[in-house]
Amino acid sequence: MVSTTTVPKATVATAISVRDLSLGVQGGDLILKDVDFDLTPGRILALVGESGSGKTTAALACMNHLRTGLELRGGSVQLHEGASRFFNQNMDLLTLSEKQVRKLRGGTIAYVPQDPALSLNGALRVGEQIHEVLCIHEFGRNGREREARVAEVLEEVGLPSTKKYQRRYPHQLSGGQQQRIGIAMAFACRPAVIILDEPTTGLDVATQDLVLKTVYQLTTKHDVAGLYITHDLAVVAQVANDVAVMLRGEIVERGPAEKVLYDPDHDYTKTLLAAVPDLQGERAMGGGPAVSPSAKVRAPWDNSHDDDVPVANSGQVADSARGANDGRDNARGVGQHDAAQSAHGASSGATAVAAEPARSDEASRGGERAASSTGDTAQVHDRAASPTETKPANEPLVAVRDLRLAYGPAVILDGINLDLVEGQTTMLLGESGSGKTTLSRSIAGLNAAYTGEVLLEGNVLANGTRKRSNEDRRRIQYIFQSPFSSLNPRRSIGDSLEVPLEMSGGMSRKQRRAAVADALDAVRLGRSYINRRPGELSGGERQRAAVARALVNAPSVLVCDEITSALDVSVQASVIELLRDLQRERGLAMLFVTHNIALARHVSHKLAVLEKGRLVDYGPTDHVLRNPQHGYTKSLLKHVPTL
Amino acid sequence: MILKRLGISVFVLLAVSVVVFVFTLLLPGDPAQAILGQQATPERLAALREQLNLNDPWYERYFTWLGGLLVGDLGTSAATGGSVNELLGQKVSASVLLMIIAAVISIPVGILLGTWSAMRRGRTTDHTLTGISLVLAALPEFVIGIALTTLLSTTVFQLLPSVTMAAPGTRVWDYPLQLVLPTLTLVLVVVPYMIRMTRTTMLDVLDSGYVEMARLKGVPERQVIMKHALPHAIGPVAQVVAMQLAWLAGGIVVVEFLFRYPGLGQAMVDAVQIRDVQVVQALSMIIAAFYVVVNLIADVIGILANPKLRTESSK
């Protein structure tokens, strides 16, 4: 790595102290109530909370930036003496003039936005965008020094530093590269404080892993005080030293990451933690034990406290995870730097530092329970498969045979063979662009351009919904990713739910209303929602309404296209609980499309991994996770962040 | 990509030429009769028909006409018997002059005021500006023209000439004062739309992530607008400007009539009155070509202002 500028060590104990910060909507409700936190050089504080909890608002307030419609109600943001190159005394950021604040922004306090695709300027070359920060803050003595710094910071974040690369536009980079440009821009002026606003939300796990390592490495190496905003507790475990948990504008719990994550005090933190899916399937996320737990996890009847999930289980997890955390801390100290670099070079060749502790932990625990494990697994599987016992499970309800879809020379899907069995869930895993949505739409008949066959109970279905019979259409229902756009905002929930019944016909209006009310009861919304409109519902409620819409004419197959991706973890957990209950009650066959491998054990009996239009791994979930055949699956498993 | 747009433009022009030609064919009455009047002898009518190629099948006449267009020969005026080129040449340049002045004034004014209004969103200046532009946009051009005439050249102040009086053989730009009122009317008609569209586009851009990011980088507000926001607004605004300029080509008919300005519009009115088919065809094609060219320019600007489209087109 080139190092042309010296690395200043922080001379202060605390860079920024936020005290009693209160913010509200102009003339309206409070959004932040008396928020306090300190940012310390070389450490990362994670601000954790669900969407709408005010975490981004709090972070932007640290830069004295209020989004339109917000007003300050009180409090202070102290920037401590020595933290900034421009000011030599303590001062309250919130009282500074616009010009003074501008000097601090980007230079002393830098921001990494959530979605680089929106936040990088599409009309400017990436090198120019980094160079701009340096010019504004008069970093370096002349143009040549600034250009050297641009090249240097690009290398620091693991990107090529060539002039040719700098002349690219954002749209010519991948999402991960764009985010690293955003990070380079933030680190360019060697800020004292860096604020990261969910910088990995849109990235696949391997890229997320790389970005997290870069962030961690740069903050520790350059003694930067970090504020990391996220709702993903698994990410918190990977990067944060300290954690503050936000609930409706208040910080309800704070402390070192190890303490908050593995031994939380506040009920809300416990709820959040219980909702995080884990790859091992140890946690009882989604209202019960995992569908396909790993062999080392106890069978449910081992634990008499199974019903009060969060308390009983978090204690148990805490034991095991503390070990994992120790291991990770070691990894950070010793191998962090190398790991980040080698992972950048070639993901296959590098040893996965972050994944290792979890695995060694697994091994030791596996040893403890070696005696009982085999018997337990068998029984667990029996229980999971119980709904199928009533009918023979040998014939799949839906079978996909040699499905292929191409638009001209671009092959989207090729040679897909997939079965959906009654009472079971098949998870279709893949990143954006892998063709998973296209496949699920083909099965539902929404995309008719495929060749090959989709069979329902052994009968070949026509290619498109228009050609399929009413009965065929009724039996396969589709739930869309975003509950915000899949429900017509002008219709009441009841009207929206009635549409499929009107289409299939044969019911009086009264019967239809009754069926709609039953469906709303079934998704635990209650029939009182029948006259509400989607705008009055929260994200989780809307997704339940969308599930009810799919359930209302009693289908046999549910195709769930990323239905939890837009939801917070706790809402995700409740939606998954709902799906699992419905499956148990009705014996539904489900195709659960997702990019989140951590959900695998919690929802699916079978796991299908899709990469570039081909199924690269397919089999019982536990089997695929333990013996991944394809490099892509292995890399997913290696990079998935774990608590 | 630009080549593709160019191809589409050529196709559109060809399609327009067919439509224009077919419509002039459908006009009731006989052009020869119209020119010679009711007293014309059958021999003279026949001779004129021969001269105007009216006896050829319609497709031959179309291709003769199209061939003429391509080499810049707009045909022979049925009314005067002279070349259409000669008849229209001066009037077209007079109109083009009017439009260019109007465009040169209104484009910067519209974009500047629109941007300014967007920057002061919700404040008094913004409300005033959007209010005024809405009122102006709602008024038809002849009302604005009459109001201006009343205000500036007749009842209130008598500063400017209300009609254009160019002696034969002189050119309109020999009397700059006469140009003021027609230009001002066109500007006032066109600018409100530009302001409103620029404002809306800029509001979208100012709410975007990259503008917020630029502010969080500490970029001074002026630079945020000029460097980060405006380039994104150029494409959409160019489309609006093109629409307005294209409208000018048609709207100018009313304005020219109002101020007795010897331009395209007047020529059009005259030609229709005396059923001068060749001139109507020629004028229709000129206006159509203007529409197409202006839109093509807007598309090209849109492509050039957007690196994503630009890099794709160079592939």
Side-chain angles (χ1 to χ4, degrees), chain A residues 375-623:
Chain A
D376 285 354
T377 333
Q379 278 160 324
V380 166
H381 275 286
D382 278 350
R383 186 191 139 119
S386 57
T388 38
E389 282 169 7
T390 48
K391 286 189 181 180
N394 47 11
E395 193 185 295
L397 194 57
V398 171
V400 177
R401 292 287 169 262
D402 203 27
L403 189 138
R404 183 188 151 90
L405 196 150
Y407 297 120
V411 179
I412 311 298
L413 293 169
D414 198 11
I416 307 285
N417 286 295
L418 196 71
D419 291 339
L420 302 181
V421 179
E422 195 174 333
Q424 291 202 4
T425 304
T426 300
M427 177 184 267
L428 184 60
L429 187 72
E431 58 191 58
S432 52
S434 60
K436 56 189 192 304
T437 293
T438 312
L439 176 55
S440 52
R441 291 176 70 94
S442 300
I443 293 172
L446 292 170
N447 190 331
Y450 63 87
T451 58
E453 288 176 341
V454 177
L455 299 101
L456 180 64
E457 286 186 331
N459 303 315
V460 179
L461 289 172
N463 271 30
T465 42
R466 283 165 193 275
K467 292 187 208 149
R468 291 185 186 175
S469 70
N470 260 342
E471 179 62 9
D472 290 341
R473 279 200 294 257
R474 179 188 69 77
R475 295 195 62 187
I476 303 182
Q477 290 293 326
Y478 197 94
I479 308 172
F480 294 88
Q481 173 169 6
S482 167
F484 297 94
S485 54
S486 68
L487 292 169
N488 187 337
R490 302 176 68 97
R491 284 174 170 236
S492 70
I493 298 292
D495 289 344
S496 281
L497 261 62
E498 236 179 272
V499 174
L501 295 174
E502 283 167 25
M503 293 297 123
S504 35
M507 283 173 106
S508 70
R509 186 174 156 75
K510 215 171 183 179
Q511 285 172 315
R512 289 202 299 263
R513 279 275 146 177
V516 167
D518 287 343
L520 286 172
D521 283 344
V523 297
R524 302 2 172 208
L525 274 180
R527 49 193 68 211
S528 60
Y529 279 74
I530 206 160
N531 288 320
R532 301 236 208 143
R533 279 172 212 284
E536 304 166 40
L537 273 57
S538 72
E541 287 174 329
R542 285 190 209 200
Q543 199 56 290
R544 279 167 192 268
V547 174
R549 208 263 317 135
L551 282 179
V552 71
N553 50 12
S556 338
V557 182
L558 275 189
V559 179
C560 311
D561 182 10
E562 297 251 25
I563 62 168
T564 61
S565 311
L567 308 174
D568 281 321
V569 276
S570 56
V571 183
Q572 165 174 284
S574 73
V575 169
I576 284 173
E577 177 178 3
L578 172 70
L579 288 179
R580 294 188 353 178
D581 288 351
L582 290 170
Q583 185 169 53
R584 211 170 298 136
E585 289 162 13
R586 306 183 178 211
L588 293 165
M590 280 198 229
L591 181 67
F592 191 91
V593 182
T594 184
H595 64 268
N596 189 353
I597 196 172
L599 286 171
R601 290 191 186 274
H602 297 279
V603 295
S604 69
H605 303 80
K606 278 190 179 170
L607 179 59
V609 183
L610 195 63
E611 195 213 7
K612 293 185 186 131
R614 289 177 171 276
L615 282 185
V616 293
D617 255 310
Y618 180 43
T621 303
D622 183 49
H623 183 77

Side-chain angles (χ1 to χ4, degrees), chain A residues 67 121 128 132 137 169, chain B residues 212 217 227-228 232 310:
Chain A
R67 290 205 166 139
N121 193 328
E128 164 60 22
E132 186 184 28
H137 298 289
Y169 286 101
Chain B
E212 182 173 53
K217 272 159 80 178
K227 190 169 163 187
H228 290 263
H232 289 266
R310 190 166 69 213

Side-chain angles (χ1 to χ4, degrees), chain B residues 57-274:
Chain B
W58 65 270
Y59 51 86
E60 264 184 42
R61 278 156 61 199
Y62 171 70
F63 283 110
T64 318
W65 174 65
L66 190 67
L69 282 187
L70 290 180
V71 297
D73 174 14
L74 297 172
T76 313
S77 163
T80 62
S83 149
V84 175
N85 292 33
E86 223 167 81
L87 186 76
L88 292 181
Q90 217 182 53
K91 298 192 170 172
V92 169
S93 51
S95 282
V96 166
L97 176 77
L98 199 57
M99 281 180 349
I100 287 177
I101 301 177
V104 164
I105 296 174
S106 56
I107 293 173
V109 168
I111 291 177
L112 273 177
L113 286 181
T115 309
W116 191 57
S117 182
M119 286 167 64
R120 306 232 173 282
R121 166 175 19 182
R123 301 200 208 161
T124 324
T125 37
D126 179 30
H127 288 313
T128 318
L129 210 54
T130 42
I132 292 174
S133 63
L134 182 62
V135 170
L136 283 177
L139 290 176
E141 58 270 29
F142 62 86
V143 174
I144 294 177
I146 291 170
L148 281 178
T149 313
T150 318
L151 187 68
L152 294 177
S153 73
T154 54
T155 332
V156 187
F157 304 105
Q158 293 187 343
L159 301 171
L160 298 163
S162 65
V163 289
T164 319
M165 289 187 295
T170 58
R171 306 204 166 240
V172 277
W173 48 88
D174 295 335
Y175 309 96
L177 267 187
Q178 295 187 348
L179 291 172
V180 174
L181 275 182
T183 312
L184 201 56
T185 310
L186 288 179
V187 167
L188 281 181
V189 172
V190 175
V191 160
Y193 291 99
M194 293 190 189
I195 292 180
R196 295 178 72 79
M197 285 310 294
T198 310
R199 175 179 179 271
T200 318
T201 316
M202 278 302 280
L203 284 184
D204 278 350
V205 174
L206 289 177
D207 279 342
S208 69
Y210 47 85
V211 166
E212 182 173 53
M213 189 61 223
R215 291 192 176 131
L216 290 175
K217 272 159 80 178
V219 180
E221 194 60 25
R222 198 187 152 83
Q223 199 175 331
V224 169
I225 301 289
M226 297 308 291
K227 190 169 163 187
H228 290 263
L230 258 186
H232 289 266
I234 282 177
V237 167
Q239 292 291 341
V240 180
V241 169
M243 288 300 291
Q244 290 304 309
L245 290 186
W247 176 86
L248 273 185
I252 208 166
V253 174
V254 176
V255 175
E256 284 181 1
F257 184 76
L258 188 69
F259 293 102
R260 307 293 322 150
Y261 187 86
L264 264 183
Q266 237 188 26
M268 186 73 147
V269 173
D270 292 347
V272 170
Q273 270 172 357
I274 59 169

Side-chain angles (χ1 to χ4, degrees), chain A residues 282-360:
Chain A
E282 290 173 353
R283 212 168 283 118
M285 172 260 186
V291 173
S292 309
S294 72
K296 69 190 174 65
V297 175
R298 294 160 304 169
W301 52 87
D302 271 10
N303 187 348
S304 50
H305 302 288
D306 197 46
D307 288 334
D308 38 2
V309 177
V311 188
N313 257 44
S314 58
Q316 180 235 325
V317 173
D319 285 341
S320 67
R322 218 169 272 140
N325 201 56
D326 290 346
R328 190 159 40 245
D329 277 355
N330 285 344
R332 268 182 194 168
V334 184
Q336 189 78 37
H337 187 201
D338 293 347
Q341 277 203 317
S342 53
H344 166 62
S347 60
S348 55
T351 41
V353 180
E356 216 110 77
R359 222 167 272 156
S360 60

Side-chain angles (χ1 to χ4, degrees), chain A residues 1-2 125-128 130 147-169 172-174 176-182 184-185 210 214 341 344-345:
Chain A
M1 238 175 234
V2 200
R125 300 177 192 278
V126 292
E128 164 60 22
I130 300 173
E147 266 168 38
R149 177 63 188 151
V150 173
E152 185 189 28
V153 79
L154 279 172
E155 285 193 13
E156 281 177 356
V157 296
L159 291 173
S161 58
T162 55
K163 277 267 172 285
K164 201 177 160 207
Y165 191 84
Q166 292 182 28
R167 285 183 55 78
R168 292 208 192 173
Y169 286 101
Q172 293 166 318
L173 308 180
S174 71
Q177 288 176 320
Q178 288 178 350
Q179 193 52 284
R180 276 182 277 161
I181 292 286
M185 210 151 79
L210 189 55
T214 311
Q341 277 203 317
H344 166 62

